Amino acid sequence: MSAECSSYLNADKVLVSGFSCPRAGGDARAVFCCGFQDVKYCCDDPHSFFPYEHSYMWWLSVGALVGLSIAAVVLFAFIITVCVLCYLFISTKPRSKLDTGLSLQVA
């Protein structure tokens, strides 16, 4: 079993000629054409070819980093708010017990 990786333009817009998988001197199990439209290689997973450019994945990574950063800031603000509220609750409690109006006497 073998696969043909068609020729493509890499990220630098240089034409890379097509090749067959597995490559000579490569892993014999790498019989599938994998990668992206602008980066192709042989691998052993038939579902590892993505029909878009490799740079697309960087935008997904940047988007994930922005989303995680926003989530971290929100979580940090929540933790700070809880700490401040706990401090205010503890610091504003009366130091002594309230007088109930009843005096206790030993019989």
Side-chain angles (χ1 to χ4, degrees), residues 38-96:
D38 57 348
V39 178
K40 293 182 183 180
Y41 55 92
C42 297
C43 71
D44 60 354
D45 184 8
H47 305 292
S48 291
F49 182 76
F50 305 101
Y52 39 82
E53 292 182 356
H54 184 254
S55 61
Y56 176 75
M57 295 303 286
W58 287 108
W59 284 110
L60 288 179
S61 298
V62 169
L65 286 175
V66 168
L68 287 173
S69 298
I70 291 171
V73 167
V74 168
L75 179 63
F76 184 68
F78 176 76
I79 290 171
I80 295 297
T81 303
V82 168
C83 290
V84 167
L85 290 176
C86 286
Y87 173 75
L88 290 174
F89 177 75
I90 291 170
S91 66
T92 58
K93 284 178 78 173
R95 301 280 182 224
S96 61

Side-chain angles (χ1 to χ4, degrees), residues 99-107:
D99 184 18
T100 60
L102 300 175
S103 59
L104 299 175
Q105 297 178 359
V106 178

Side-chain angles (χ1 to χ4, degrees), residues 21-35:
C21 296
R23 286 188 147 179
D27 187 4
R29 295 174 295 167
V31 295
F32 299 101
C33 184
C34 300

